[in-house]
Amino acid sequence: MTSRISGFYKLSPEERLDKIADKIDLNEEEKSILKGDSKFSIKQADRMIENVIGYLPIPLGIAANFKVNGRDVFVPMVTEEPSVIAAASNAAKLAYDSGGFMTSYSGSIMIGQIQVTDVQDPYGAMARVYENKQELINLCNQQDPKLVSLGGGIQDVHVRVVHTDTEKMMVIHLHVDTKDAMGANAVNTMAEAASPLIEKITKGKVILRILSNLADERITRVRAVFENPFQDDQEAIDKFYKASQLAIYDPYRAATHNKGIMNGISSVVLATGNDTRAVEAGAHVYASVSGQYQSLTRWEKGENNKIIGTLELPLAVGLVGGATQSHPVAKLATKMMGVQTAEQLAAVIASVGLAQNFAAIRALASEGIQKGHMKLHARNLAAMAGATEGEIDQVVEIAVKNQSFKFHEMEEIVKSLNTHGKG
Ligand code: NAD
């Protein structure tokens, strides 16, 4: 199966869905779920969150040209932002011939925190917790026999003493292998169950018992080689490299640089029903572990004008748990990617992040992003300028012809259509 389909972007949504369905074997029912024909019901929504009165459909598109660890994959992305999917697909195409994206994974360990206050002897209590580690481990693992039967469960306990304004607090870390689940509920359950024993051992008071979103023992690393993407243009290579460097040394630039990476990452996280806020929080804190907030990617110049990109971040995503199995589209999204484990899912997600970053820097360091972006954004602007559903295509056509994508220009176009219409 190849993830390359020439002219995919030129097809209608129905034709695109047919092509994808053909390639990855989607049946008619699955196609109708994706098209929104067999609607996501209010009943289903009401089972997911509270006080439901409706839902917000956000478009799902497919990024093409991705090869991840030697396997071609179509990537479902859910986003409201134009040009994200086009940019990811373009960048993936440039990495395709040199083997696509290669990844590694540190394992699926999540950390649960238990905060203990009012401890008389925090360092003595720390020693007592380590002395009783096995009892704690046994107690935690009793909470999740399913996870343990799959080879997961709590692996280790670490203790920290944190000096605060009021006292030396203890923080007990539970290191839990959550396997193919994101693991927040699994870890929180263990943290709550372990707390009475922790209070007994430390003679302190437990307050917080919750997962840490700094999942620094669940790191995905991805690498890609872009073969001479600037066709030996040394000035373009230099600009690309210098643009990437600013994001390492300047937090103002790093924030936007990493936001661009998360454009890709969060779109796939959302498509699969995973927790976008958990992944975003982890990524941004990880970007500042050195003490200064900086880029999550590194770009290097290789021989023969190759550009080598790497991205490293915590990716707490699962194939089970949360909404991943209960939302019909999320379930289909993982099926479409053919991923069997949380590690494989994280590999695809990280690859999209790296591709997204390459595309953004390349555009920013050359013609700028507005030219491509505004053309794709034109439909939103036309609607904002008052074009009716029936007028939007015509307004965009005129805007593209005149290259006029500013809001006041759109308003003029809409006004002129209305004047002519009325006349
Ligand atoms: P979950 O509790 O719905 O499912 C996890 C459970 O599934 C495991 O405990 C295990 O018993 C079972 N399981 C079955 N097959 C498994 C497999 N192959 N691998 C691993 N476990 C398997 O979900 P979760 O992943 O524990 O929690 C995720 C949810 O928690 C998300 O919806 C997230 O939004 C939410 N959440 C997040 C935070 C946070 O990020 N700080 C806090 C609270 C809740």
Side-chain angles (χ1 to χ4, degrees):
M1 200 281 283
T2 171
S3 63
R4 302 191 67 165
I5 305 178
S6 98
F8 187 58
Y9 69 98
K10 290 184 198 149
L11 304 176
S12 69
E14 291 76 15
E15 289 168 329
R16 287 189 204 115
L17 179 57
D18 283 343
K19 283 247 182 237
I20 297 290
D22 247 19
K23 293 249 187 194
I24 57 172
D25 259 349
L26 293 179
N27 60 35
E28 286 307 315
E29 194 195 336
E30 291 169 329
K31 280 165 70 177
S32 94
I33 290 173
L34 284 170
K35 276 192 284 189
D37 291 347
S38 60
K39 288 228 163 45
F40 178 65
S41 71
I42 283 283
K43 252 199 180 137
Q44 283 168 300
D46 200 35
R47 277 198 291 268
M48 287 179 71
I49 60 164
E50 311 73 41
N51 296 359
V52 164
I53 61 160
Y55 40 82
L56 168 72
I58 309 265
L60 182 152
I62 296 288
N65 308 323
F66 274 87
K67 187 192 276 297
V68 179
N69 295 325
R71 195 175 66 87
D72 279 37
V73 54
F74 288 111
V75 189
M77 298 175 73
V78 169
T79 179
E80 86 300 342
E81 187 170 350
S83 74
V84 167
I85 298 174
S89 304
N90 277 333
K93 191 154 85 184
L94 291 172
Y96 190 91
D97 288 335
S98 49
F101 299 84
M102 303 301 294
T103 73
S104 61
Y105 189 56
S106 71
S108 35
I109 305 285
M110 299 297 287
I111 295 171
Q113 294 194 297
I114 302 172
Q115 177 196 22
V116 196
T117 64
D118 301 285
V119 182
Q120 177 75 39
D121 56 340
Y123 288 97
M126 177 195 271
R128 294 198 297 280
V129 171
Y130 282 121
E131 286 156 29
N132 289 280
K133 191 165 103 174
Q134 197 53 49
E135 193 183 348
L136 268 171
I137 287 180
N138 295 345
L139 178 63
C140 289
N141 276 341
Q142 279 161 20
Q143 310 308 313
D144 205 332
K146 177 71 191 172
L147 190 57
V148 174
S149 76
L150 294 165
I154 181 164
Q155 310 285 310
D156 209 352
V157 177
H158 284 203
V159 188
R160 296 163 55 222
V161 174
V162 179
H163 295 225
T164 72
D165 287 348
T166 53
E167 63 181 274
K168 289 177 196 160
M169 286 176 195
M170 295 180 70
V171 184
I172 321 286
H173 280 190
L174 309 178
H175 295 247
V176 184
D177 186 347
T178 62
K179 291 287 170 194
D180 291 325
M182 180 270 189
N185 291 317
V187 168
N188 295 346
T189 304
M190 289 185 188
E192 290 190 8
S195 292
L197 179 58
I198 294 283
E199 284 190 333
K200 199 170 133 208
I201 297 170
T202 60
K203 299 189 174 56
K205 285 186 195 146
V206 167
I207 303 182
L208 300 173
R209 296 147 296 165
I210 177 97
L211 173 98
S212 167
N213 286 109
L214 176 52
D216 60 357
E217 294 188 18
R218 199 170 191 168
I219 300 296
T220 300
R221 294 181 172 85
V222 56
R223 175 180 62 87
V225 177
F226 294 81
E227 291 285 347
N228 196 5
F230 299 104
Q231 281 139 25
D232 300 321
D233 178 343
Q234 297 306 319
E235 194 190 340
I237 294 173
D238 208 41
K239 280 182 174 173
F240 179 93
Y241 182 68
K242 286 180 176 166
S244 75
Q245 285 283 303
L246 186 61
I248 300 174
Y249 296 100
D250 175 17
Y252 286 91
R253 171 59 204 145
T256 319
H257 178 99
N258 289 342
K259 188 273 181 186
I261 295 171
M262 301 315 283
N263 275 343
I265 287 184
S266 295
S267 304
V268 193
V269 172
L270 184 58
T272 57
N274 273 287
D275 186 333
T276 50
R277 289 82 54 214
V279 172
E280 298 262 354
H284 291 295
V285 178
Y286 197 68
S288 54
V289 281
S290 68
Q292 187 197 311
Y293 184 86
Q294 54 180 223
S295 165
L296 288 164
T297 53
R298 290 293 181 273
W299 293 97
E300 295 167 306
K301 296 181 206 173
E303 57 190 11
N304 302 326
N305 297 324
K306 287 177 182 156
I307 303 278
I308 299 132
T310 46
L311 163 66
E312 171 182 323
L313 83 167
L315 269 176
V317 290
L319 291 183
V320 298
T324 58
Q325 294 291 319
S326 59
H327 195 297
V329 176
K331 219 167 141 181
L332 260 179
T334 44
K335 175 180 171 175
M336 287 165 87
M337 286 185 273
V339 288
Q340 312 289 338
T341 61
E343 173 177 358
Q344 290 173 359
L345 174 59
V348 175
I349 293 174
S351 302
V352 175
L354 186 61
Q356 208 75 57
N357 190 227
F358 177 85
I361 306 174
R362 188 174 62 145
L364 286 166
S366 54
E367 62 175 20
I369 56 168
Q370 285 311 82
K371 196 170 159 211
H373 184 78
M374 291 313 279
K375 193 170 150 192
L376 295 168
H377 187 50
R379 293 183 64 82
N380 287 342
L381 278 182
M384 205 160 81
T388 61
E389 190 55 36
E391 291 169 341
I392 286 180
D393 280 344
Q394 206 184 345
V395 172
V396 170
E397 201 178 301
I398 298 169
V400 170
K401 198 166 127 230
N402 302 344
Q403 288 294 297
S404 31
F405 298 115
K406 298 199 178 80
F407 182 63
H408 69 272
E409 294 169 336
M410 285 284 186
E411 278 186 322
E412 286 302 320
I413 298 170
V414 175
K415 217 185 285 167
S416 78
L417 279 188
N418 287 341
T419 318
H420 291 143
K422 277 174 201 136

